[in-house]
């Protein structure tokens, strides 16, 4: 089987899980696509996973209420061994990157990191990933009874529902007592859709001029469209926006239906994080900006004049 460790939050299955299902189906590997849901009170999450997986395994236990790298490693490795998984797929989120290498060590398996493409070849699994600031696409191949893969968020389209509801099975686990206890957590409260879930993203670059203009223009247009807000690395480095909004090689990879870039020049590092968007709209006063080479629609002009008109028209 192909084992996928579900990512979820607040009773909702993350988009990254559907992307991993699509990656598994597109890879040409044999065996059922199986989603493992770990947590406490995760029946609704399991029901969501059952809409596009072949089967769903559920470990619903109080000690799984809070993520722990030690516990998630033990759970993933146990199920992979019991089910003789040929591939274990884990999301390339911060937590996924933390425990995925441990799963590989536990299973004595090769580890393919940050996959943007997967293909079964010659009895093994071939993976592609970006390297050298996305200037190079690196191809790796692993041949082993089990391969552990992390999938880059946003690299694949989410899988569509199959039209059938997969069978769900409760699983028993022998879990270790975690040595690290999390005693508190501070989470940024978002008033709008997150980047990973947004179908429309409005991103601002240094071309918007200032932090105040970013709030007025980028956030203003995003609010009018019900969109997520992104930022370039230059904007984040300048302290205008938090790192969580950064799109690009060292930030998030996104693949929305529409990506609207305001004052974004289009450096290769940024393009690697949003280049697979369905439609790209660019507004920049520099007609030679690289962003126009990938844009489906482009406007050469001052964002301070164009964006307020767009906000008014959207309302």
């Amino acid at each position: 089987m192909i084992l996928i460790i579900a990512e979820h939050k607040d009773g909702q299955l993350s988009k990254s899980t559907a992307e991993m299902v699509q990656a598994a189906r597109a890879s040409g590997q044999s065996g059922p696509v199986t989603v493992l849901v770990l947590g406490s009170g995760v029946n609704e999450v399991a029901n969501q996973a059952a809409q596009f997986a072949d089967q769903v395994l559920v470990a619903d236990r109080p000690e799984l209420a809070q993520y722990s790298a030690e516990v998630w490693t033990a759970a993933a490795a146990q199920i992979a061994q019991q089910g003789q998984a040929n591939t274990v797929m884990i999301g390339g989120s911060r937590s996924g990157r933390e425990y995925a290498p441990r799963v590989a060590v536990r299973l004595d398996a090769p580890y393919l990191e940050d996959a943007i493409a997967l293909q079964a070849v010659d009895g093994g699994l071939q993976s592609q990933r970006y390297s050298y600031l996305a200037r190079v696409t690196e191809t790796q191949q692993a041949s082993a009874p089990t391969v552990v893969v992390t999938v880059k968020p946003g690299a694949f389209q989410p899988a569509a529902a199959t039209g059938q509801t997969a069978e769900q099975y409760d699983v028993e686990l022998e879990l270790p007592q975690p040595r690290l206890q999390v005693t508190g957590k501070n989470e940024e409260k978002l008033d709008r859709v997150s980047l990973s879930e947004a179908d429309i993203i409005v991103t601002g670059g240094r071309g918007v001029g200032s932090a105040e203009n970013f709030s007025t223009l980028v956030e203003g247009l995003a609010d009018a469209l019900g969109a997520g807000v992104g930022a370039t690395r230059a904007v984040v480095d300048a302290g205008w926006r938090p790192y969580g909004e950064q799109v690009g090689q060292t930030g998030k990879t996104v693949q929305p239906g529409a990506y609207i870039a305001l004052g974004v020049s289009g450096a290769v590092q940024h393009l690697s994080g949003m280049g697979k968007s369905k439609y790209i709209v660019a507004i920049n006063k520099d007609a030679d900006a690289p962003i126009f080479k990938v844009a489906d629609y482009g406007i050469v002009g001052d964002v301070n004049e164009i964006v307020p008109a767009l906000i008014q028209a959207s309302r």
Side-chain angles (χ1 to χ4, degrees):
M1 69 177 179
I2 304 170
L3 180 64
I4 295 171
I5 315 303
E7 294 192 320
H8 57 91
K9 184 178 180 181
D10 298 331
Q12 295 296 315
L13 195 69
S14 296
K15 186 179 178 183
S16 61
T17 304
E19 292 170 359
M20 287 190 282
V21 171
Q22 178 61 27
R25 296 201 188 283
S27 68
Q29 299 177 83
S30 59
V33 176
T34 303
V35 175
L36 172 62
V37 179
L38 302 172
S40 178
V42 290
N43 287 336
E44 179 55 33
V45 174
N47 290 337
Q48 295 168 29
Q51 300 305 308
F52 46 76
D54 294 329
Q55 59 183 0
V56 178
L57 306 180
V58 184
D60 192 337
R61 295 172 56 168
E63 56 265 50
L64 293 171
Q66 185 169 267
Y67 164 76
S68 162
E70 293 176 87
V71 175
W72 257 241
T73 297
Q78 282 180 47
I79 297 301
Q81 289 172 329
Q82 292 171 9
Q84 297 181 325
N86 55 327
T87 304
V88 179
M89 299 179 71
I90 297 170
S93 59
R94 186 167 296 181
S95 59
R97 293 195 301 268
E98 179 185 21
Y99 78 89
R102 305 184 188 200
V103 175
V105 171
R106 188 74 61 91
L107 297 174
D108 193 23
Y111 176 47
L112 301 176
E113 186 178 25
D114 235 12
I116 59 170
L118 290 170
Q119 185 63 47
V121 291
D122 301 328
L125 185 63
Q126 190 177 87
S127 168
Q128 290 186 335
R129 69 172 184 175
Y130 292 128
S131 60
Y132 293 100
L133 298 177
R135 290 182 173 88
V136 174
T137 300
E138 184 178 298
T139 301
Q140 299 177 316
Q141 185 170 325
S143 297
T146 302
V147 178
V148 178
V149 181
T150 52
V151 176
K152 189 174 182 66
F156 294 86
Q157 288 285 353
T162 62
Q164 299 178 338
T165 302
E167 292 289 338
Q168 299 182 33
Y169 304 93
D170 293 329
V171 294
E172 295 295 329
L173 296 170
E174 295 182 9
L175 299 176
Q177 183 65 33
R179 292 172 291 175
L180 177 67
Q181 297 290 335
V182 177
T183 58
K185 183 186 296 185
N186 292 320
E187 294 190 17
E188 182 182 8
K189 295 188 180 298
L190 298 175
D191 296 327
R192 56 177 62 87
V193 64
S194 67
L195 283 177
S196 60
E197 305 292 332
D199 190 52
I200 303 174
I201 293 175
V202 180
T203 291
R206 286 294 294 268
V208 301
S210 67
E212 292 73 20
N213 277 0
F214 194 105
S215 297
T216 302
L217 301 177
V218 180
E219 290 191 284
L221 183 57
D223 289 341
L225 297 175
V229 170
T232 63
R233 179 172 178 174
V235 165
V236 173
D237 287 347
W240 296 358
R241 305 300 296 179
Y243 172 73
E245 294 180 358
Q246 183 173 318
V247 174
Q249 175 69 21
T250 54
K252 288 183 169 67
T253 297
V254 296
Q255 197 172 350
Y259 188 89
I260 304 172
L262 309 181
V264 175
S265 64
V268 65
Q269 295 89 341
H270 185 75
L271 297 181
S272 71
M274 44 65 72
K276 286 191 175 183
S277 302
K278 186 173 182 180
Y279 294 107
I280 298 173
V281 180
I283 303 174
N284 198 302
K285 64 182 179 182
D286 180 6
D288 296 322
I291 190 71
F292 288 121
K293 294 180 180 179
V294 299
D296 298 286
Y297 301 94
I299 302 175
V300 178
D302 188 348
V303 293
N304 293 290
E305 298 175 359
I306 297 168
V307 177
L310 286 177
I311 293 173
Q312 186 62 38
S314 299
R315 287 174 177 163

